[in-house]
Amino acid sequence: MAVLVTGGAGYIGSHTVAELITAGEEVVIVDNLYQGHKDAVLGGKLYVGDIRDKDFLDTVFKENTIDAVVHFAANSLVGESMKAPAKYYHNNVYGTLCLLEKMNEYGVSKIVFSSTAATYGEPENVPILESDRTFPTNTYGETKLAMEKMMKWFDIAHNVKYVSLRYFNACGAHESGKIGEDHNPETHLIPLILEVPLGKRPFISVYGDDYPTEDGTCIRDYLHVTDLADAHLKAVNYLRNGGESNVFNLGSGTGYSVSAVIEAARKATGHPIPVKVEGRRAGDPAVLIASSQKAKDVLGWTPKFDNLEYIIGTAWKWHEAHPNGYAK
Ligand SMILES: NC(=O)c1ccc[n+]([C@@H]2O[C@H](COP(=O)([O-])OP(=O)(O)OC[C@H]3O[C@@H](n4cnc5c(N)ncnc54)[C@H](O)[C@@H]3O)[C@@H](O)[C@H]2O)c1
Ligand SMILES: O=c1ccn([C@@H]2O[C@H](COP(=O)(O)OP(=O)(O)O[C@H]3O[C@H](CO)[C@@H](O)[C@H](O)[C@H]3O)[C@@H](O)[C@H]2O)c(=O)[nH]1
């Protein structure tokens, strides 16, 4: 029985494929390589194609015996989603619909799904609980919430069980140095900071220093990508053991300001990393910190990486060795 990983050539997907293989799982990967990289796939059987292509999905489901799906394939840039909502509804919502239809047709009844802190919008409470209000402030978060709700109705109608994992900020790279983060365009804070010591940008822009936080910069909850990957294995096994459909936050529970992240990167790289303070980025909440207590209690998940300087060091190891990312 194989685990099908959609988006498995992308950043979090490729790290999860690596963990699944280490755990002895048979893995089938589907990716259209829009953001993914063949070189990021360390094992398993890769099918290059789009989840919205139902004939393509037929081939994948016919050629493999799949017992669970881990679904990463999506577009995930907040800013872009505000300018191109149709792209986000088409790829994220329609793509998930095609996948669920085919899962149902081929009798696959377990799915672990990449959701996001962006489903909450501006939080009512910090740390955020799964039971808190979901009120997305951008199209991306809204499509992820629509995907969660679609899975709920497929469960009610067809008994397809799901685990929705609401990630906070994924970061870092595989400790082996073999795989890392390579998005085009890159918008995430840590890989952009690391472009300064790589000589690819003169400074890092700080989007706003007038937030109601101690140093005025936004606070986020940064979680190592391998800890995230591990949660997916635990979620697959939770469903295999008869677990009911469920939603879990995944974060470290610790918040770091943008300035604190830059300081940790200075220590990890030994570079002074100059800063330029700019205006706020539209749609950024001031503080996002997860309560992951439920994932700890129900899935038995505990993040192993708790030192931000070390986490950034794992990313730095990969970026230093791959200054231009994967081979294009
Ligand atoms: N990076 C984060 O901090 C973060 C936080 C919360 C949630 N997420 C979610 O986690 C998932 C993975 O994020 P990531 O940072 O690894 O992104 P990514 O872009 O690196 O990975 C997504 C992969 O899916 C593939 N893909 C996209 N649309 C596809 C389609 N229609 N058919 C087949 N393949 C397709 C892309 O080529 C890419 O390889 C996404 O769903 C994202 O919304 C990410
Ligand atoms: O050049 C930069 C880039 C980012 N930031 C700030 O750094 C913080 C983190 O930004 P980023 O790395 O872009 O992550 P988020 O916007 O927090 O979004 C990530 O984390 C969310 C969950 O918390 C996911 O939903 C998204 O998919 C994922 O991109 C934010 O305050 C940004 O304003 C800067 O100051 N300068």
Side-chain angles (χ1 to χ4, degrees):
M1 295 292 258
V3 178
L4 170 63
V5 182
T6 75
Y11 171 47
I12 306 170
S14 61
H15 286 77
T16 303
V17 168
E19 293 307 301
L20 284 164
I21 288 167
T22 303
E25 296 280 355
E26 191 186 327
V27 185
V28 174
I29 299 117
V30 161
D31 201 299
N32 63 4
L33 301 183
Y34 172 70
Q35 284 287 335
H37 310 272
K38 275 187 181 164
D39 290 349
V41 179
L42 296 183
K45 192 165 154 192
L46 172 65
Y47 287 80
V48 177
D50 197 293
I51 57 166
R52 292 163 293 184
D53 178 345
K54 292 188 188 176
D55 293 340
F56 166 70
L57 285 185
D58 276 329
T59 306
V60 175
F61 280 100
K62 276 183 189 152
E63 288 184 0
N64 301 280
T65 310
I66 291 160
D67 90 306
V69 175
V70 183
H71 179 33
F72 295 100
N75 294 125
S76 58
L77 301 182
V78 169
E80 182 188 58
S81 78
M82 298 300 282
K83 293 185 188 127
K87 175 176 178 177
Y88 278 69
Y89 274 91
H90 200 271
N91 199 28
N92 295 2
V93 179
Y94 176 64
T96 301
L97 176 61
C98 295
L99 180 66
L100 286 171
E101 278 179 355
K102 287 296 161 191
M103 285 176 62
N104 194 35
E105 191 178 323
Y106 288 90
V108 180
S109 61
K110 300 179 222 21
I111 180 166
V112 175
F113 167 70
S114 301
S115 190
T116 166
T119 54
Y120 294 107
E122 194 67 52
E124 286 178 302
N125 306 301
V126 174
I128 301 171
L129 295 169
E130 292 82 352
S131 52
D132 285 351
R133 181 189 68 163
T134 46
F135 196 73
T137 52
N138 53 63
T139 316
Y140 163 62
E142 189 74 53
T143 61
K144 288 281 173 172
L145 198 55
M147 294 150 88
E148 285 192 2
K149 287 184 177 165
M150 202 192 300
M151 290 188 298
K152 180 183 96 175
W153 294 108
F154 267 73
D155 180 5
I156 290 167
H158 304 300
N159 206 29
V160 173
K161 299 293 173 199
Y162 68 90
V163 166
S164 182
L165 299 175
R166 292 181 180 157
Y167 320 154
F168 284 61
N169 292 56
C171 64
H174 202 267
E175 278 183 302
S176 68
K178 285 184 187 159
I179 50 176
E181 184 170 10
D182 179 8
H183 292 120
N184 185 18
E186 189 53 81
T187 60
H188 294 108
L189 178 64
I190 291 174
L192 287 177
I193 292 174
L194 296 178
E195 288 186 4
V196 181
L198 283 175
K200 296 171 84 176
R201 63 175 63 230
F203 55 81
I204 181 71
S205 299
V206 172
Y207 297 145
D209 66 352
D210 57 350
Y211 284 94
T213 61
E214 209 166 294
D215 63 23
T217 65
C218 284
I219 292 177
R220 293 288 180 276
D221 181 334
Y222 294 89
L223 183 67
H224 194 274
V225 64
T226 300
D227 280 327
L228 258 184
D230 176 48
H232 291 76
L233 269 69
K234 291 193 160 57
V236 167
N237 287 325
Y238 162 85
L239 290 176
R240 282 177 176 158
N241 291 331
E244 281 301 317
S245 293
N246 223 328
V247 178
F248 300 99
N249 286 339
L250 295 179
S252 69
T254 306
Y256 290 92
S257 70
V258 171
S259 295
V261 174
I262 296 167
E263 193 49 42
R266 289 185 181 122
K267 289 190 180 129
T269 63
H271 190 282
I273 310 183
V275 158
K276 186 172 172 201
V277 177
E278 301 193 16
R280 291 183 178 195
R281 194 174 66 175
D284 271 343
V287 181
L288 288 177
I289 302 173
S291 165
S292 303
Q293 195 56 46
K294 187 176 166 191
K296 289 175 186 161
D297 292 344
V298 179
L299 298 178
W301 173 78
T302 313
K304 293 185 189 71
F305 296 83
D306 60 1
N307 179 318
L308 187 62
E309 189 185 324
Y310 181 80
I311 291 174
I312 294 175
T314 63
W316 178 233
K317 178 174 169 180
W318 191 79
H319 285 286
E320 240 190 329
H322 306 83
N324 298 312
Y326 292 102
K328 298 290 180 293

